[in-house]
């Protein structure tokens, strides 16, 4: 990746809805070379996709919880069962396996505290071999995962 590729990536991170014409202007290229670079960045896996950032309040998922979770064992069957089960849960926004303790970091979004209690007791705690779960409730998001430019 050269400086122009990095500029293209930076502009698309700020606003993935840019037209090719707007993007080309911002990075100092004509439209043809700009489009070819974007297509190459997509083909190479540098640009993995585009998405809409949805207001969690609007879809009933404004209650976010961060969970530290440890398993009783790290054997392949236990890990696979846990990861498969939680990966399929719509409430799970992010699931990371960590080095050290805890074993996992889970980011969950639900409607409210009652919905979280249901998720925890009926989805998480029913997975075999969970040793410890610690829930952290967000007071305020100071810096979001990725700053989002408002839709025009």
């Amino acid at each position: 990746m050269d400086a122009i590729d990095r500029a293209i990536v930076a502009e698309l991170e700020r606003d993935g809805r840019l037209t090719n014409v707007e993007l080309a202007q911002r990075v100092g290229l004509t439209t043809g070379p700009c489009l070819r670079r974007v297509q190459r960045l997509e083909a190479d896996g540098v640009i993995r996709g585009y998405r809409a950032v949805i207001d969690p309040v609007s879809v009933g998922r404004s209650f976010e919880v961060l969970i530290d979770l440890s398993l009783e064992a790290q054997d392949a069957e236990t890990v696979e069962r846990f990861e498969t089960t939680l990966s399929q849960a719509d409430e799970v926004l992010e699931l990371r396996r960590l080095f050290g303790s805890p074993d996992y970091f889970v980011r969950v979004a639900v409607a409210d505290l009652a919905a979280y209690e249901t998720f925890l007791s009926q989805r998480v705690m029913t997975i075999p071999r969970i040793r410890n779960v610690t829930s952290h409730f967000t007071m305020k998001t100071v810096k979001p995962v990725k700053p989002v430019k408002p839709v025009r």
Side-chain angles (χ1 to χ4, degrees), residues 2 6-7 12 20 22 28-29 33 57-58 62 73 83 91 95-97 99 110 126 130-132 135 139:
D2 63 14
R6 284 190 288 282
L12 289 174
N20 186 55
E22 292 172 313
L29 291 175
V57 173
S58 299
S62 61
E83 290 180 1
E91 298 89 347
L95 174 60
R96 295 178 182 233
R97 188 183 327 169
F99 286 105
V110 293
T126 59
I130 289 180
R131 180 179 57 209
N132 189 48
S135 301
M139 179 189 317

Side-chain angles (χ1 to χ4, degrees), residues 122-148:
Q122 294 180 9
R123 299 290 301 269
V124 176
M125 300 310 289
T126 59
I127 302 169
R129 312 217 50 196
I130 289 180
R131 180 179 57 209
N132 189 48
V133 175
T134 303
S135 301
H136 304 276
F137 300 95
T138 302
M139 179 189 317
K140 173 183 173 185
T141 300
V142 178
K143 181 179 178 180
V145 172
K146 180 181 272 189
V148 177

Side-chain angles (χ1 to χ4, degrees), residues 28-64:
L29 291 175
T30 58
T31 56
C34 183
L35 180 59
R36 284 190 293 278
R37 281 178 178 257
V38 170
Q39 289 170 335
R40 181 180 42 78
L41 290 166
E42 290 171 345
D44 290 349
V46 175
I47 298 173
R48 296 190 305 190
Y50 301 88
R51 66 185 180 100
V53 178
I54 308 300
D55 174 37
V57 173
S58 299
V59 294
R61 296 179 67 168
S62 61
F63 191 78
E64 191 168 301

